[in-house]
Amino acid sequence: MIPLLDLIEELHARKAKRVAVQLPEGLKPRTAMLACSLRAEGFDVLICGDACWGACDLALNALADADVLVHIGHTPVTPHERVIYVPFQQDIDPDVLSLAVPALAGCPKVGVVTTIQHAHQTMEMVGWLNEHDVTAVAGAGSARTPQAGQVLGCTYAAAKLADADVYLFVGTGIFHAIGVSVATGKPTFALDPYGEGGVQQVSADRLLRKRFVQIEKAKSAKNFGILLSSKSGQCRRDLAKRMERLSPNAAIILISEVSEMQLRNLGFDAYVNTACPRLALDDQNRFPVPVLSPVEFEIVQGLRLWDDYTIDEIE
Ligand code: SF4
């Protein structure tokens, strides 16, 4: 699925000789194939072996030993002149949308959202639904999600731009669909394009109940560690400073990988996460103490009501 010929052409156009390659965890098993193919074309190859979950985590340190960094899998979140982005694309059969038609029939305006793997087909999906009596639209791309209808776990801008009455998320899992439902406050359906999970309306109730419990726990914390990511596309300094100002018992922690062991060693009673928003939502079970989103910390500090809860997004 990696358009190797296009990549090689681009590398030659840039007169690159030394090429660093970075693949996210899900695509890492393809590293050897890619590296050997590039070496066969005469490039010096350096593989970035550290964990990577998104284009927010560019291995820019590799550029000390390479002319360019090839980041596989994602569209840019922080464009860099020496980084070539090669998004990962997986075609789906638009006819799989027929599974969603009964649930969407009669909805005034359906917003189609998806992840990068399928975002190249967003407008094809919109067209298919419109041809099958479902009024569908897609929101324009944004700075972090340049393709129409594209969402990330840290931004649902395309969903909000669609301004739809109901959303259809096409992709695997339900995390992004739940994120869309919290970010927009609208009913959201998730369709597994491989047909295995079918279509289902997602509910954010379970997630919100869990977050409420963490907020209540954090109210008895005597100190708060404000997590500031050192990763290229997760670093929100201004937000971290703003969070620090909310409590005299808070301190900013510069950190790359947020792990259970690091949080335990640092020893704070609770943390406020300004790094990847998914950390607090996906990984709370692994952490020894509450890891709050900035909005949740505002609730703990009595500056926001639970009724005004919103999901954390990176602009
Ligand atoms: S910040 Fe988190 S959700 Fe956003 S691109 Fe990075 S890993 Fe993905």
Side-chain angles (χ1 to χ4, degrees):
M1 297 297 161
I2 298 165
L4 191 60
L5 292 179
D6 293 351
L7 173 59
I8 289 167
E9 208 172 290
E10 174 72 19
L11 289 170
H12 284 312
R14 289 179 180 232
K15 300 191 181 352
K17 299 259 184 298
R18 301 172 307 156
V19 178
V21 294
Q22 180 184 35
L23 289 87
E25 297 316 285
L27 298 178
K28 277 247 178 3
R30 299 169 191 238
T31 304
M33 182 202 68
L34 176 62
C36 294
S37 302
L38 291 175
R39 285 202 67 200
E41 292 291 328
F43 298 105
D44 278 344
V45 175
L46 176 67
I47 295 166
C48 303
D50 287 332
C52 169
W53 301 101
C56 57
D57 187 11
L58 296 175
L60 296 176
N61 54 348
L63 288 174
D65 298 295
D67 302 319
V68 293
L69 168 66
V70 175
H71 176 91
I72 305 290
H74 308 102
T75 45
V77 300
T78 47
H80 188 291
E81 59 181 8
R82 287 173 64 195
V83 178
I84 299 173
Y85 295 85
V86 183
F88 183 60
Q89 297 181 343
Q90 274 183 316
D91 289 344
I92 60 166
D93 179 356
D95 284 343
V96 75
L97 294 168
S98 60
L99 292 172
V101 169
L104 301 175
C107 294
K109 186 161 82 163
V110 177
V112 175
V113 286
T114 186
T115 47
I116 183 59
Q117 293 94 322
H118 314 304
H120 61 293
Q121 286 181 281
T122 300
M123 298 319 295
E124 188 182 348
M125 290 190 261
V126 167
W128 190 100
L129 288 167
N130 282 315
E131 281 167 15
H132 292 79
D133 299 326
V134 174
T135 305
V137 295
S142 69
R144 268 176 106 79
T145 47
Q147 301 198 17
Q150 182 190 357
V151 292
L152 279 171
C154 56
T155 179
Y156 300 95
K160 289 186 273 195
L161 284 169
D163 194 23
D165 303 289
V166 171
Y167 289 89
L168 174 66
F169 169 75
V170 180
T172 48
I174 59 170
F175 178 87
H176 293 91
I178 290 176
V180 169
S181 79
V182 178
T184 64
K186 301 287 174 60
T188 303
F189 292 84
L191 171 67
D192 180 344
Y194 304 112
E196 290 169 11
V199 67
Q200 59 176 305
Q201 182 170 0
V202 300
S203 165
D205 288 354
R206 193 157 167 267
L207 173 75
L208 293 177
R209 270 200 303 274
K210 285 183 170 179
R211 298 318 303 166
F212 187 82
V213 169
Q214 296 304 321
I215 289 169
E216 289 302 306
K217 273 192 194 169
K219 284 181 177 170
S220 57
K222 294 192 175 46
N223 49 51
F224 297 90
I226 313 292
L227 301 174
L228 171 63
S229 178
S230 56
K231 295 184 178 183
S232 53
Q234 295 186 20
C235 182
R236 292 187 280 176
R237 279 192 191 81
D238 291 348
L239 179 61
K241 287 302 284 180
R242 187 165 74 75
M243 292 296 109
E244 184 191 37
R245 286 195 291 271
L246 297 188
S247 167
N249 301 315
I252 294 177
I253 301 163
L254 183 65
I255 191 164
S256 172
E257 291 300 323
V258 179
S259 69
E260 182 259 342
M261 192 177 73
Q262 286 305 94
L263 298 193
R264 206 177 278 285
N265 288 347
L266 284 160
F268 282 79
D269 292 343
Y271 294 88
V272 181
N273 171 44
T274 69
C276 170
R278 286 192 71 156
L279 276 176
L281 304 180
D282 264 357
D283 295 345
Q284 180 66 63
N285 289 348
R286 292 196 294 119
F287 298 142
V289 294
V291 177
L292 305 174
S293 72
V295 159
E296 291 166 352
F297 189 44
E298 289 174 352
I299 296 172
V300 167
Q301 294 300 319
L303 300 169
R304 183 189 282 262
L305 296 174
W306 171 252
D307 287 351
D308 291 332
Y309 187 94
T310 58
I311 198 162
D312 182 25
E313 296 182 69
I314 303 180
E315 297 291 323

